[in-house]
PDB file of all heavy atoms in Angstrom:
ATOM      1  N   SER A  16     -61.276  36.837-136.809  1.00 88.00           N
ATOM      2  CA  SER A  16     -62.251  35.912-137.390  1.00 88.00           C
ATOM      3  C   SER A  16     -61.669  35.076-138.517  1.00 88.00           C
ATOM      4  O   SER A  16     -61.958  33.883-138.617  1.00 88.00           O
ATOM      5  CB  SER A  16     -63.463  36.674-137.921  1.00 88.00           C
ATOM      6  OG  SER A  16     -64.090  37.371-136.894  1.00 88.00           O
ATOM      7  N   LEU A  17     -60.878  35.697-139.367  1.00 88.00           N
ATOM      8  CA  LEU A  17     -60.325  34.979-140.511  1.00 88.00           C
ATOM      9  C   LEU A  17     -59.440  33.818-140.043  1.00 88.00           C
ATOM     10  O   LEU A  17     -59.566  32.694-140.521  1.00 88.00           O
ATOM     11  CB  LEU A  17     -59.542  35.929-141.411  1.00 88.00           C
ATOM     12  CG  LEU A  17     -59.018  35.347-142.710  1.00 88.00           C
ATOM     13  CD1 LEU A  17     -60.170  34.852-143.575  1.00 88.00           C
ATOM     14  CD2 LEU A  17     -58.218  36.382-143.473  1.00 88.00           C
ATOM     15  N   ALA A  18     -58.572  34.092-139.084  1.00 92.00           N
ATOM     16  CA  ALA A  18     -57.708  33.030-138.567  1.00 92.00           C
ATOM     17  C   ALA A  18     -58.540  31.950-137.879  1.00 92.00           C
ATOM     18  O   ALA A  18     -58.335  30.751-138.119  1.00 92.00           O
ATOM     19  CB  ALA A  18     -56.682  33.614-137.594  1.00 92.00           C
ATOM     20  N   GLN A  19     -59.491  32.339-137.039  1.00 90.00           N
ATOM     21  CA  GLN A  19     -60.330  31.367-136.341  1.00 90.00           C
ATOM     22  C   GLN A  19     -61.099  30.514-137.338  1.00 90.00           C
ATOM     23  O   GLN A  19     -61.194  29.298-137.205  1.00 90.00           O
ATOM     24  CB  GLN A  19     -61.309  32.069-135.398  1.00 90.00           C
ATOM     25  CG  GLN A  19     -62.276  31.137-134.683  1.00 90.00           C
ATOM     26  CD  GLN A  19     -61.594  30.197-133.707  1.00 90.00           C
ATOM     27  OE1 GLN A  19     -60.719  30.595-132.961  1.00 90.00           O
ATOM     28  NE2 GLN A  19     -62.009  28.946-133.692  1.00 90.00           N
ATOM     29  N   TYR A  20     -61.629  31.145-138.359  1.00 87.00           N
ATOM     30  CA  TYR A  20     -62.426  30.435-139.364  1.00 87.00           C
ATOM     31  C   TYR A  20     -61.582  29.364-140.060  1.00 87.00           C
ATOM     32  O   TYR A  20     -62.051  28.256-140.300  1.00 87.00           O
ATOM     33  CB  TYR A  20     -62.968  31.439-140.381  1.00 87.00           C
ATOM     34  CG  TYR A  20     -63.982  30.860-141.315  1.00 87.00           C
ATOM     35  CD1 TYR A  20     -65.310  30.733-140.934  1.00 87.00           C
ATOM     36  CD2 TYR A  20     -63.616  30.450-142.586  1.00 87.00           C
ATOM     37  CE1 TYR A  20     -66.240  30.199-141.785  1.00 87.00           C
ATOM     38  CE2 TYR A  20     -64.549  29.915-143.454  1.00 87.00           C
ATOM     39  CZ  TYR A  20     -65.852  29.800-143.050  1.00 87.00           C
ATOM     40  OH  TYR A  20     -66.779  29.262-143.897  1.00 87.00           O
ATOM     41  N   HIS A  21     -60.325  29.684-140.352  1.00 89.00           N
ATOM     42  CA  HIS A  21     -59.469  28.720-141.040  1.00 89.00           C
ATOM     43  C   HIS A  21     -58.891  27.673-140.092  1.00 89.00           C
ATOM     44  O   HIS A  21     -58.608  26.551-140.507  1.00 89.00           O
ATOM     45  CB  HIS A  21     -58.350  29.437-141.795  1.00 89.00           C
ATOM     46  CG  HIS A  21     -58.852  30.125-143.015  1.00 89.00           C
ATOM     47  ND1 HIS A  21     -59.258  29.457-144.143  1.00 89.00           N
ATOM     48  CD2 HIS A  21     -59.064  31.432-143.275  1.00 89.00           C
ATOM     49  CE1 HIS A  21     -59.674  30.313-145.049  1.00 89.00           C
ATOM     50  NE2 HIS A  21     -59.576  31.529-144.534  1.00 89.00           N
ATOM     51  N   GLN A  22     -58.724  28.001-138.821  1.00 91.00           N
ATOM     52  CA  GLN A  22     -58.178  27.048-137.859  1.00 91.00           C
ATOM     53  C   GLN A  22     -59.250  26.098-137.348  1.00 91.00           C
ATOM     54  O   GLN A  22     -58.998  24.912-137.178  1.00 91.00           O
ATOM     55  CB  GLN A  22     -57.559  27.793-136.678  1.00 91.00           C
ATOM     56  CG  GLN A  22     -56.346  28.575-137.060  1.00 91.00           C
ATOM     57  CD  GLN A  22     -56.052  29.680-136.067  1.00 91.00           C
ATOM     58  OE1 GLN A  22     -56.820  29.940-135.142  1.00 91.00           O
ATOM     59  NE2 GLN A  22     -54.929  30.351-136.259  1.00 91.00           N
ATOM     60  N   ASN A  23     -60.424  26.641-137.051  1.00 89.00           N
ATOM     61  CA  ASN A  23     -61.512  25.823-136.512  1.00 89.00           C
ATOM     62  C   ASN A  23     -62.832  26.561-136.688  1.00 89.00           C
ATOM     63  O   ASN A  23     -63.258  27.308-135.797  1.00 89.00           O
ATOM     64  CB  ASN A  23     -61.281  25.518-135.030  1.00 89.00           C
ATOM     65  CG  ASN A  23     -62.394  24.668-134.446  1.00 89.00           C
ATOM     66  OD1 ASN A  23     -63.198  24.090-135.166  1.00 89.00           O
ATOM     67  ND2 ASN A  23     -62.452  24.599-133.132  1.00 89.00           N
ATOM     68  N   PRO A  24     -63.518  26.369-137.807  1.00 87.00           N
ATOM     69  CA  PRO A  24     -64.773  27.079-138.031  1.00 87.00           C
ATOM     70  C   PRO A  24     -65.867  26.717-137.032  1.00 87.00           C
ATOM     71  O   PRO A  24     -66.799  27.482-136.830  1.00 87.00           O
ATOM     72  CB  PRO A  24     -65.165  26.682-139.455  1.00 87.00           C
ATOM     73  CG  PRO A  24     -64.384  25.467-139.773  1.00 87.00           C
ATOM     74  CD  PRO A  24     -63.148  25.519-138.929  1.00 87.00           C
ATOM     75  N   ARG A  25     -65.727  25.576-136.355  1.00 87.00           N
ATOM     76  CA  ARG A  25     -66.730  25.214-135.340  1.00 87.00           C
ATOM     77  C   ARG A  25     -66.767  26.233-134.199  1.00 87.00           C
ATOM     78  O   ARG A  25     -67.737  26.335-133.479  1.00 87.00           O
ATOM     79  CB  ARG A  25     -66.434  23.834-134.782  1.00 87.00           C
ATOM     80  CG  ARG A  25     -66.780  22.721-135.731  1.00 87.00           C
ATOM     81  CD  ARG A  25     -66.573  21.363-135.052  1.00 87.00           C
ATOM     82  NE  ARG A  25     -66.787  20.302-135.987  1.00 87.00           N
ATOM     83  CZ  ARG A  25     -65.837  19.735-136.727  1.00 87.00           C
ATOM     84  NH1 ARG A  25     -64.576  20.143-136.597  1.00 87.00           N
ATOM     85  NH2 ARG A  25     -66.108  18.782-137.574  1.00 87.00           N
ATOM     86  N   GLY A  26     -65.695  26.998-134.022  1.00 89.00           N
ATOM     87  CA  GLY A  26     -65.646  28.012-132.975  1.00 89.00           C
ATOM     88  C   GLY A  26     -66.746  29.058-133.119  1.00 89.00           C
ATOM     89  O   GLY A  26     -67.077  29.744-132.162  1.00 89.00           O
ATOM     90  N   PHE A  27     -67.337  29.164-134.314  1.00 88.00           N
ATOM     91  CA  PHE A  27     -68.398  30.139-134.533  1.00 88.00           C
ATOM     92  C   PHE A  27     -69.775  29.625-134.124  1.00 88.00           C
ATOM     93  O   PHE A  27     -70.745  30.363-134.140  1.00 88.00           O
ATOM     94  CB  PHE A  27     -68.418  30.593-135.992  1.00 88.00           C
ATOM     95  CG  PHE A  27     -67.270  31.484-136.316  1.00 88.00           C
ATOM     96  CD1 PHE A  27     -66.122  30.978-136.895  1.00 88.00           C
ATOM     97  CD2 PHE A  27     -67.308  32.830-136.000  1.00 88.00           C
ATOM     98  CE1 PHE A  27     -65.047  31.796-137.173  1.00 88.00           C
ATOM     99  CE2 PHE A  27     -66.243  33.659-136.264  1.00 88.00           C
ATOM    100  CZ  PHE A  27     -65.108  33.138-136.857  1.00 88.00           C
ATOM    101  N   LYS A  28     -69.861  28.357-133.755  1.00 87.00           N
ATOM    102  CA  LYS A  28     -71.127  27.842-133.244  1.00 87.00           C
ATOM    103  C   LYS A  28     -71.386  28.438-131.865  1.00 87.00           C
ATOM    104  O   LYS A  28     -70.456  28.790-131.135  1.00 87.00           O
ATOM    105  CB  LYS A  28     -71.089  26.318-133.160  1.00 87.00           C
ATOM    106  CG  LYS A  28     -71.123  25.647-134.498  1.00 87.00           C
ATOM    107  CD  LYS A  28     -71.183  24.157-134.294  1.00 87.00           C
ATOM    108  CE  LYS A  28     -71.440  23.458-135.594  1.00 87.00           C
ATOM    109  NZ  LYS A  28     -71.635  22.026-135.397  1.00 87.00           N
ATOM    110  N   ARG A  29     -72.627  28.525-131.496  1.00 82.00           N
ATOM    111  CA  ARG A  29     -73.039  29.195-130.260  1.00 82.00           C
ATOM    112  C   ARG A  29     -72.288  28.713-129.028  1.00 82.00           C
ATOM    113  O   ARG A  29     -71.814  29.500-128.229  1.00 82.00           O
ATOM    114  CB  ARG A  29     -74.534  29.028-130.069  1.00 82.00           C
ATOM    115  CG  ARG A  29     -75.029  29.664-128.784  1.00 82.00           C
ATOM    116  CD  ARG A  29     -76.494  29.670-128.703  1.00 82.00           C
ATOM    117  NE  ARG A  29     -76.961  30.516-129.803  1.00 82.00           N
ATOM    118  CZ  ARG A  29     -78.223  30.714-130.108  1.00 82.00           C
ATOM    119  NH1 ARG A  29     -79.146  30.136-129.420  1.00 82.00           N
ATOM    120  NH2 ARG A  29     -78.570  31.479-131.099  1.00 82.00           N
ATOM    121  N   ASN A  30     -72.167  27.413-128.826  1.00 88.00           N
ATOM    122  CA  ASN A  30     -71.582  26.883-127.595  1.00 88.00           C
ATOM    123  C   ASN A  30     -70.113  26.498-127.734  1.00 88.00           C
ATOM    124  O   ASN A  30     -69.544  25.911-126.815  1.00 88.00           O
ATOM    125  CB  ASN A  30     -72.385  25.676-127.114  1.00 88.00           C
ATOM    126  CG  ASN A  30     -73.797  26.076-126.718  1.00 88.00           C
ATOM    127  OD1 ASN A  30     -74.000  27.148-126.169  1.00 88.00           O
ATOM    128  ND2 ASN A  30     -74.760  25.240-127.024  1.00 88.00           N
ATOM    129  N   GLU A  31     -69.502  26.801-128.844  1.00 90.00           N
ATOM    130  CA  GLU A  31     -68.094  26.464-129.055  1.00 90.00           C
ATOM    131  C   GLU A  31     -67.205  27.637-128.666  1.00 90.00           C
ATOM    132  O   GLU A  31     -67.638  28.786-128.649  1.00 90.00           O
ATOM    133  CB  GLU A  31     -67.843  26.088-130.520  1.00 90.00           C
ATOM    134  CG  GLU A  31     -68.588  24.844-130.962  1.00 90.00           C
ATOM    135  CD  GLU A  31     -67.999  23.557-130.382  1.00 90.00           C
ATOM    136  OE1 GLU A  31     -66.795  23.514-130.104  1.00 90.00           O
ATOM    137  OE2 GLU A  31     -68.775  22.608-130.216  1.00 90.00           O
ATOM    138  N   LYS A  32     -65.952  27.355-128.381  1.00 92.00           N
ATOM    139  CA  LYS A  32     -65.011  28.369-127.890  1.00 92.00           C
ATOM    140  C   LYS A  32     -64.142  28.906-129.031  1.00 92.00           C
ATOM    141  O   LYS A  32     -63.678  28.162-129.874  1.00 92.00           O
ATOM    142  CB  LYS A  32     -64.124  27.723-126.825  1.00 92.00           C
ATOM    143  CG  LYS A  32     -63.221  28.685-126.102  1.00 92.00           C
ATOM    144  CD  LYS A  32     -62.512  27.957-124.982  1.00 92.00           C
ATOM    145  CE  LYS A  32     -61.634  28.791-124.123  1.00 92.00           C
ATOM    146  NZ  LYS A  32     -60.884  29.823-124.679  1.00 92.00           N
ATOM    147  N   ILE A  33     -63.941  30.214-128.999  1.00 93.00           N
ATOM    148  CA  ILE A  33     -62.970  30.861-129.886  1.00 93.00           C
ATOM    149  C   ILE A  33     -61.594  30.638-129.260  1.00 93.00           C
ATOM    150  O   ILE A  33     -61.427  30.794-128.046  1.00 93.00           O
ATOM    151  CB  ILE A  33     -63.260  32.379-130.010  1.00 93.00           C
ATOM    152  CG1 ILE A  33     -64.635  32.637-130.622  1.00 93.00           C
ATOM    153  CG2 ILE A  33     -62.156  33.088-130.778  1.00 93.00           C
ATOM    154  CD1 ILE A  33     -64.779  32.271-132.076  1.00 93.00           C
ATOM    155  N   TYR A  34     -60.616  30.261-130.060  1.00 95.00           N
ATOM    156  CA  TYR A  34     -59.265  30.071-129.522  1.00 95.00           C
ATOM    157  C   TYR A  34     -58.775  31.363-128.870  1.00 95.00           C
ATOM    158  O   TYR A  34     -58.935  32.444-129.427  1.00 95.00           O
ATOM    159  CB  TYR A  34     -58.295  29.672-130.624  1.00 95.00           C
ATOM    160  CG  TYR A  34     -58.532  28.293-131.219  1.00 95.00           C
ATOM    161  CD1 TYR A  34     -58.096  28.005-132.496  1.00 95.00           C
ATOM    162  CD2 TYR A  34     -59.166  27.280-130.508  1.00 95.00           C
ATOM    163  CE1 TYR A  34     -58.290  26.753-133.060  1.00 95.00           C
ATOM    164  CE2 TYR A  34     -59.368  26.032-131.054  1.00 95.00           C
ATOM    165  CZ  TYR A  34     -58.926  25.762-132.331  1.00 95.00           C
ATOM    166  OH  TYR A  34     -59.115  24.532-132.877  1.00 95.00           O
ATOM    167  N   ASP A  35     -58.152  31.223-127.693  1.00 95.00           N
ATOM    168  CA  ASP A  35     -57.675  32.393-126.941  1.00 95.00           C
ATOM    169  C   ASP A  35     -56.754  33.293-127.760  1.00 95.00           C
ATOM    170  O   ASP A  35     -56.813  34.512-127.660  1.00 95.00           O
ATOM    171  CB  ASP A  35     -56.950  31.966-125.666  1.00 95.00           C
ATOM    172  CG  ASP A  35     -57.901  31.404-124.619  1.00 95.00           C
ATOM    173  OD1 ASP A  35     -59.114  31.699-124.694  1.00 95.00           O
ATOM    174  OD2 ASP A  35     -57.437  30.668-123.730  1.00 95.00           O
ATOM    175  N   PHE A  36     -55.892  32.696-128.590  1.00 95.00           N
ATOM    176  CA  PHE A  36     -54.936  33.511-129.341  1.00 95.00           C
ATOM    177  C   PHE A  36     -55.594  34.272-130.491  1.00 95.00           C
ATOM    178  O   PHE A  36     -54.956  35.093-131.136  1.00 95.00           O
ATOM    179  CB  PHE A  36     -53.745  32.684-129.849  1.00 95.00           C
ATOM    180  CG  PHE A  36     -54.126  31.417-130.574  1.00 95.00           C
ATOM    181  CD1 PHE A  36     -54.503  31.438-131.901  1.00 95.00           C
ATOM    182  CD2 PHE A  36     -54.104  30.211-129.899  1.00 95.00           C
ATOM    183  CE1 PHE A  36     -54.841  30.277-132.566  1.00 95.00           C
ATOM    184  CE2 PHE A  36     -54.446  29.031-130.550  1.00 95.00           C
ATOM    185  CZ  PHE A  36     -54.818  29.064-131.887  1.00 95.00           C
ATOM    186  N   ASN A  37     -56.877  34.034-130.740  1.00 94.00           N
ATOM    187  CA  ASN A  37     -57.609  34.792-131.759  1.00 94.00           C
ATOM    188  C   ASN A  37     -58.431  35.931-131.158  1.00 94.00           C
ATOM    189  O   ASN A  37     -59.097  36.669-131.879  1.00 94.00           O
ATOM    190  CB  ASN A  37     -58.514  33.877-132.585  1.00 94.00           C
ATOM    191  CG  ASN A  37     -57.706  33.057-133.564  1.00 94.00           C
ATOM    192  OD1 ASN A  37     -56.701  33.515-134.083  1.00 94.00           O
ATOM    193  ND2 ASN A  37     -58.134  31.839-133.799  1.00 94.00           N
ATOM    194  N   ILE A  38     -58.386  36.072-129.850  1.00 95.00           N
ATOM    195  CA  ILE A  38     -59.086  37.179-129.203  1.00 95.00           C
ATOM    196  C   ILE A  38     -58.160  38.399-129.238  1.00 95.00           C
ATOM    197  O   ILE A  38     -57.016  38.347-128.786  1.00 95.00           O
ATOM    198  CB  ILE A  38     -59.485  36.815-127.762  1.00 95.00           C
ATOM    199  CG1 ILE A  38     -60.466  35.638-127.800  1.00 95.00           C
ATOM    200  CG2 ILE A  38     -60.079  38.022-127.046  1.00 95.00           C
ATOM    201  CD1 ILE A  38     -60.822  35.056-126.466  1.00 95.00           C
ATOM    202  N   LEU A  39     -58.662  39.481-129.815  1.00 94.00           N
ATOM    203  CA  LEU A  39     -57.849  40.680-130.021  1.00 94.00           C
ATOM    204  C   LEU A  39     -57.921  41.634-128.831  1.00 94.00           C
ATOM    205  O   LEU A  39     -58.952  41.735-128.172  1.00 94.00           O
ATOM    206  CB  LEU A  39     -58.330  41.418-131.276  1.00 94.00           C
ATOM    207  CG  LEU A  39     -58.293  40.626-132.576  1.00 94.00           C
ATOM    208  CD1 LEU A  39     -58.917  41.445-133.699  1.00 94.00           C
ATOM    209  CD2 LEU A  39     -56.878  40.219-132.926  1.00 94.00           C
ATOM    210  N   GLU A  40     -56.837  42.333-128.614  1.00 93.00           N
ATOM    211  CA  GLU A  40     -56.806  43.392-127.606  1.00 93.00           C
ATOM    212  C   GLU A  40     -57.685  44.545-128.096  1.00 93.00           C
ATOM    213  O   GLU A  40     -57.820  44.778-129.291  1.00 93.00           O
ATOM    214  CB  GLU A  40     -55.380  43.896-127.400  1.00 93.00           C
ATOM    215  CG  GLU A  40     -54.445  42.864-126.809  1.00 93.00           C
ATOM    216  CD  GLU A  40     -54.797  42.497-125.381  1.00 93.00           C
ATOM    217  OE1 GLU A  40     -55.235  43.382-124.620  1.00 93.00           O
ATOM    218  OE2 GLU A  40     -54.643  41.325-125.028  1.00 93.00           O
ATOM    219  N   SER A  41     -58.244  45.275-127.170  1.00 91.00           N
ATOM    220  CA  SER A  41     -59.054  46.436-127.525  1.00 91.00           C
ATOM    221  C   SER A  41     -58.146  47.549-128.054  1.00 91.00           C
ATOM    222  O   SER A  41     -57.040  47.737-127.556  1.00 91.00           O
ATOM    223  CB  SER A  41     -59.813  46.916-126.291  1.00 91.00           C
ATOM    224  OG  SER A  41     -60.628  47.992-126.625  1.00 91.00           O
ATOM    225  N   MET A  42     -58.622  48.252-129.076  1.00 92.00           N
ATOM    226  CA  MET A  42     -57.841  49.353-129.645  1.00 92.00           C
ATOM    227  C   MET A  42     -58.615  50.652-129.514  1.00 92.00           C
ATOM    228  O   MET A  42     -59.844  50.653-129.538  1.00 92.00           O
ATOM    229  CB  MET A  42     -57.555  49.086-131.115  1.00 92.00           C
ATOM    230  CG  MET A  42     -56.625  47.952-131.353  1.00 92.00           C
ATOM    231  SD  MET A  42     -56.186  47.906-133.082  1.00 92.00           S
ATOM    232  CE  MET A  42     -56.134  46.152-133.343  1.00 92.00           C
ATOM    233  N   ASP A  43     -57.893  51.728-129.393  1.00 95.00           N
ATOM    234  CA  ASP A  43     -58.484  53.055-129.310  1.00 95.00           C
ATOM    235  C   ASP A  43     -58.579  53.631-130.727  1.00 95.00           C
ATOM    236  O   ASP A  43     -57.689  54.329-131.194  1.00 95.00           O
ATOM    237  CB  ASP A  43     -57.635  53.948-128.415  1.00 95.00           C
ATOM    238  CG  ASP A  43     -58.227  55.321-128.202  1.00 95.00           C
ATOM    239  OD1 ASP A  43     -59.255  55.651-128.837  1.00 95.00           O
ATOM    240  OD2 ASP A  43     -57.661  56.076-127.396  1.00 95.00           O
ATOM    241  N   TYR A  44     -59.658  53.293-131.416  1.00 95.00           N
ATOM    242  CA  TYR A  44     -59.813  53.707-132.813  1.00 95.00           C
ATOM    243  C   TYR A  44     -59.938  55.220-132.965  1.00 95.00           C
ATOM    244  O   TYR A  44     -59.549  55.766-133.982  1.00 95.00           O
ATOM    245  CB  TYR A  44     -61.008  53.007-133.455  1.00 95.00           C
ATOM    246  CG  TYR A  44     -60.746  51.535-133.680  1.00 95.00           C
ATOM    247  CD1 TYR A  44     -61.327  50.575-132.865  1.00 95.00           C
ATOM    248  CD2 TYR A  44     -59.887  51.120-134.691  1.00 95.00           C
ATOM    249  CE1 TYR A  44     -61.068  49.231-133.067  1.00 95.00           C
ATOM    250  CE2 TYR A  44     -59.620  49.778-134.890  1.00 95.00           C
ATOM    251  CZ  TYR A  44     -60.220  48.834-134.081  1.00 95.00           C
ATOM    252  OH  TYR A  44     -59.956  47.504-134.273  1.00 95.00           O
TER     253      TYR A  44
END
Side-chain angles (χ1 to χ4, degrees):
S16 300
L17 186 61
Q19 177 66 43
Y20 190 82
H21 287 288
Q22 293 159 354
N23 180 14
R25 286 185 185 92
F27 287 96
K28 289 184 171 186
R29 178 172 296 176
N30 295 323
E31 296 287 332
K32 187 174 183 323
I33 298 291
Y34 292 156
D35 289 339
F36 50 81
N37 285 326
I38 297 173
L39 301 175
E40 294 293 324
S41 182
M42 292 188 217
D43 184 354
Y44 289 105

